[in-house]
Amino acid sequence: MSDINKAENGATNTEAEVTKEEVPKKNGSKHKKDWLAVGGIGIEKRRRSSNASYRIENNKVLIETEDGGVQELEIVATKEKLGTLRKAVPTLPVPLAVLCLVLNLIPGLGTLVSGFAVLCGYPTHYDTKREGVCWNIVAAVLQVILTPIIVGLIWSVQRGVIIVQESLQKKIDERDEKAEEIA
């Protein structure tokens, strides 16, 4: 075994000894607990994943394998994971979305209007209207509360922009669907 391997093994053993400590069980016996593993930190796993070499081109992921070859994988679908408050943004008609953007210059007002628009049948990413309305009200109240430290104003305008983007995206999707039906 080379000196480098010995040094690496020694560092690994020392590292393992430092991160583990004996913890008493309820029945009085002791066992070693790896605190990094408990925290979800896998040193070896992170090290191996950082050596991975890949690139994304168009709808394909190209991964370099251990033997030097390249494996090509096609991206079939992607799904955007939205946060709790982001899922509450309704898809409104563009003029109403622009109105909500302008109203959001008064923090929370446009968000509140968009929340009540959900009651009129405009969809959110939530299953029920009640959830969409409630989360929009929560967002509006938080925007008002955070206004004195400027965060509420910035968040309010940003939310107005997101409402407009959501509406424009729906309009673009509808136009693309019509074009596909004609073609």
Side-chain angles (χ1 to χ4, degrees):
M1 189 180 267
S2 72
D3 291 335
I4 295 172
N5 289 340
K6 287 179 186 175
E8 286 177 359
N9 289 339
T12 305
N13 292 337
T14 306
E15 207 170 65
E17 290 170 11
V18 170
T19 61
K20 291 184 180 180
E21 78 180 48
E22 291 186 8
V23 178
K25 289 184 179 179
K26 289 182 181 179
N27 63 6
S29 66
K30 292 185 176 184
H31 72 282
K32 288 193 174 192
K33 190 169 195 173
D34 186 350
W35 289 106
L36 291 176
V38 168
I41 301 170
I43 295 171
E44 185 63 23
K45 188 175 181 182
R46 281 191 327 204
R47 188 186 66 76
R48 276 185 271 139
S49 68
S50 66
N51 291 338
S53 179
Y54 68 93
R55 64 181 185 272
I56 300 174
E57 294 179 0
N58 299 328
N59 285 338
K60 296 182 181 182
V61 178
L62 304 172
I63 301 172
E64 291 182 23
T65 59
E66 292 176 3
D67 62 353
V70 176
Q71 184 179 10
E72 185 176 331
L73 303 172
E74 184 176 355
I75 300 172
V76 178
T78 59
K79 183 178 180 184
E80 184 179 4
K81 185 176 180 182
L82 303 173
T84 304
L85 295 176
R86 176 62 176 84
K87 287 194 289 188
V89 173
T91 305
L92 304 172
V94 176
L96 183 56
V98 171
L99 175 66
C100 287
L101 172 61
V102 172
L103 289 175
N104 264 338
L105 294 175
I106 301 169
L109 186 59
T111 303
L112 195 62
V113 169
S114 70
F116 288 126
V118 172
L119 292 174
C120 297
Y122 296 111
T124 65
H125 292 278
Y126 282 108
D127 295 331
T128 64
K129 289 181 183 179
R130 186 182 76 193
E131 282 180 300
V133 172
C134 289
W135 283 114
N136 273 302
I137 291 171
V138 167
V141 169
L142 288 173
Q143 289 169 358
V144 170
I145 291 171
L146 295 172
T147 297
I149 59 172
I150 308 300
V151 173
L153 178 63
I154 294 168
W155 181 16
S156 184
V157 171
Q158 179 205 23
R159 190 164 179 97
V161 169
I162 290 171
I163 292 169
V164 171
Q165 288 175 338
E166 188 86 15
S167 301
L168 290 173
Q169 186 62 46
K170 180 182 178 192
K171 191 174 183 180
I172 290 168
D173 291 345
E174 288 174 350
R175 185 185 63 207
D176 289 347
E177 286 176 12
K178 287 181 183 177
E180 286 177 7
E181 288 175 6
I182 294 172

